[in-house]
Amino acid sequence: MPVRSLPRLFTASLAALSLGTLLAGPAASADRSADRVRAETIVFIENSRFDPQNVTVNLGDSVRWINNHNIDHTATSDDGRTFDSGVIPVGRSFTHVFRARGTFPYHCTIHPSMRGTVTVE
């Protein structure tokens, strides 16, 4: 590409960017939560417990349970509907994205004394 065409390409790109911003309107610029980088919180399954036992995340963030124990486990919401990992084999993980605010108690269906809570703000 010749050097003299670069300014025209830059101008066209800048115009397209500006037009996109104008078309998006004030609603898009007011919603900064969509611009936030989503986070992942890790919960380790070790020694027949969830570590940490209780976590707080933001709406849209994910929690990943990693089974570092020497036996299988699950991470299942107490209501049985919000999330259910099924069996998480040794060395594997399960991830759930939280799309609703609230407090979500959970347990291991194989070992019901293992309990935890995810709070979504």
Side-chain angles (χ1 to χ4, degrees):
M1 177 181 310
V3 174
R4 66 178 174 264
S5 64
L6 285 177
R8 186 178 309 156
L9 179 62
F10 176 77
T11 304
S13 298
L14 186 57
L17 180 61
S18 297
L19 180 59
T21 303
L22 288 173
L23 292 176
S29 61
D31 182 16
R32 292 292 178 212
S33 64
D35 296 337
R36 187 177 68 76
V37 174
R38 302 302 180 196
E40 179 179 72
T41 297
I42 304 292
V43 175
F44 294 100
I45 303 171
E46 299 175 320
N47 302 318
S48 292
R49 65 186 181 94
F50 297 108
D51 185 23
Q53 184 176 11
N54 304 306
V55 297
T56 300
V57 300
N58 291 311
L59 185 66
D61 288 352
S62 63
V63 174
R64 180 164 51 130
W65 288 265
I66 301 174
N67 186 359
N68 285 340
H69 200 200
N70 58 1
I71 56 178
D72 295 344
H73 292 284
T74 75
T76 305
S77 63
D78 284 359
D79 68 10
R81 293 183 314 272
T82 304
F83 60 92
D84 184 0
S85 65
V87 173
I88 307 171
V90 175
R92 303 296 301 262
S93 67
F94 164 75
T95 301
H96 179 77
V97 176
F98 286 86
R99 301 192 189 286
R101 287 183 171 85
T103 301
F104 303 94
Y106 67 93
H107 61 280
C108 172
T109 58
I110 302 168
H111 311 98
S113 64
M114 291 176 58
R115 307 200 59 77
T117 303
V118 176
T119 302
V120 182
E121 298 179 333

